Amino acid sequence: MAFLLNSFLKSSRAAVILIILFFTAFPAFDGYSQNQETIFAREDLRFIQNLFKDEFFRFARQESAEFTKTYPQSPLIADVVFIQAQIDVVNKQYDRALVRYDKVIKEYPEVQIVEDALYYRGALKPITWQRGPPWI
């Protein structure tokens, strides 16, 4: 058996066939494909959402910051920014929350979460105005 394999590999035609088979069997050597990155990003988003839901706000903030560094071009980034704004509300950092809601509204107008961002932004305005109107 080894003799047959050895003689087969010595022929140049066989080597070309093996090289073609190798590269067609493993097409992506440049790391993760776009589809795999999207799958990982969705898993990370679900993890952040669960941290927030379970009231682990500090960890949710850390993971969301890591998400924005790891997947800066992800279509899910608006959801992460929205969660960051909600964490800011929990921590009574209303001005930061307003900035994040505005970011979701202005930079990601095509996502569904914009309606929620508009609602929460409107709900926060009176709270921030208690310190005085923003134009003063």
Side-chain angles (χ1 to χ4, degrees):
M1 182 73 165
F3 172 74
L4 289 173
L5 183 62
N6 194 16
S7 63
F8 178 72
L9 291 176
K10 285 184 182 178
S11 74
S12 61
R13 184 175 182 193
V16 169
I17 290 171
L18 285 177
I19 290 172
I20 291 172
L21 286 175
F22 181 77
F23 283 109
T24 56
F26 306 105
F29 289 107
D30 60 346
Y32 297 118
S33 68
Q34 184 70 24
N35 194 21
Q36 288 172 321
E37 183 175 305
T38 303
I39 291 170
F40 293 145
R42 286 176 200 245
E43 289 175 4
D44 288 349
L45 175 61
R46 262 186 253 127
F47 180 64
I48 294 166
Q49 289 169 332
N50 288 332
L51 285 172
F52 180 79
K53 184 178 80 173
D54 294 338
E55 298 182 4
F56 294 113
F57 302 122
R58 186 179 68 176
F59 298 119
R61 179 180 296 287
Q62 291 171 352
E63 289 297 322
S64 64
E66 187 64 31
F67 185 98
T68 57
K69 290 177 190 172
T70 307
Y71 310 107
Q73 301 300 321
S74 173
L76 305 173
I77 200 86
D79 296 308
V80 174
V81 173
F82 183 79
I83 292 172
Q84 289 174 335
Q86 290 179 305
I87 294 169
D88 290 336
V89 170
V90 169
N91 293 330
K92 298 182 181 178
Q93 297 174 333
Y94 303 120
D95 292 330
R96 286 179 68 177
L98 284 173
V99 169
R100 292 184 199 270
Y101 287 135
D102 285 338
K103 181 177 181 176
V104 171
I105 294 164
K106 291 176 184 170
E107 294 183 21
Y108 311 101
E110 69 282 350
V111 297
Q112 288 181 332
I113 204 122
V114 167
E115 293 176 7
D116 294 334
L118 283 165
Y119 173 80
Y120 286 114
R121 183 179 173 272
L124 280 181
K125 281 292 186 181
I127 294 171
T128 58
W129 285 7
Q130 289 176 358
R131 291 180 242 146
W135 55 83
I136 294 179

